[in-house]
Amino acid sequence: MNSFKPKNRILMGPGPSNVHPRVLEALSRAPLGHLDPQFIELMDEIKSLLQYTFRTKSNAAFVLSGPGSLGMEACLVNLVEPGSEVVVCIGGYFANRMAQIVEKIGGVPVMVKDTWGRAFDPQKLEDTLNEHPGAKTVAFVHAETSTGALQNIKELSSIAHRYGCMVVADTVTSLGTTEVSVDEWELDAVYSCSQKGLACVAGMAPVVFSDRAQEFIKNRNKIGSWFNDLNLLMGYWSGEKRAYHHTAPSNQFYGLHEALILLKDEGLDNAWRRHKENSVKLIKKLNELGLKPLVPDGERIPNLITVLVPEGIDEAKVRAELLARHSCEIGAGLGELAGKVWRIGLMGYNSNEKMIDFFIGALKDVLKK
Ligand SMILES: Cc1ncc(COP(=O)(O)O)c(C=O)c1O
């Protein structure tokens, strides 16, 4: 066997996306031990960069060694006690996954469903909380990657708090590309991923827990997970003396650190603006090709556009041809949107005009064929 050398791909699906050369270089530096003083310094810098990115002062802002789904499970297992009701706002595939996790960890999911491809209706959440006065937690996905819809997270969170609930928010597809203000919006447990708006490789899940959540977790009944128990994780991520928790992947952390520096140097406001402007440009060019977005204007995730597949077109064949002829990957529809949409990602390092022009050229070529 020979060394594995992948062909370069233009990753324009729902994630992962391409990474900056500086991130790739950082990933290849010499590994460090997980308690090396240099490594602890790096962890502290990652914490402070995450505080900036999530717009929070919480000391419990750190990264879990695993994908976004690990962040989802960690937030839920820490906040949800067995037998407690969790209202899950479901308008797509990933919110469904939240409900599945709630069930697996012994919570009682109360599923409120809304139309796939639209922002979740806050009134539905309010009505459900009125019907379930015992609910302790509300969970939702900020940017539902399966549909392309962005929720009004500020409003959902404020309703949840009015009913005395804590809030779990999925920011896997929004962090770094659109506003996520953890403290201002009073989010209690928030997770994301490394491979989308942060423009790093997959396998790390940034998380934040509010002070209120930390207080609850310290005093609650036993947590049904060793790896995800916040009380144990904090022994590694904070304080003068750090205790071994697990062997953290040092090289992945170097990559994330570099990616977060790149984002901070650009500035969050500038990064959000860039994603918005490029999304508008891409949609305009897709419209010129006769393609229509699924999600109405004002409710769209700027970095992940779902486009309706025109009648008579074999959607899988288009994706296969884009990959074969242009080395470009886009995503298929998930769940009830399978076969009906393409999911086009324009995120992080890839959100620029060169990518838009490349993609429109490639798509024109394939559709013509
Ligand atoms: C909104 C959302 N939540 C959770 C996940 C799961 O993340 P991962 O695949 O990194 O486990 C994804 C993945 O794309 C996602 O889009």
Side-chain angles (χ1 to χ4, degrees), residues 138-153:
V138 169
F140 46 76
V141 175
H142 185 200
E144 181 47 84
T145 330
S146 61
T147 68
L150 189 72
Q151 318 306 331
N152 186 342
I153 181 169

Side-chain angles (χ1 to χ4, degrees), residues 271 274-276 278-279 346-353 355:
R274 172 168 60 88
H275 283 89
K276 179 81 195 157
N278 286 326
S279 150
L346 208 52
M347 41 188 127
Y349 185 54
N350 281 355
S351 173
N352 59 62
E353 286 207 39
M355 281 295 169

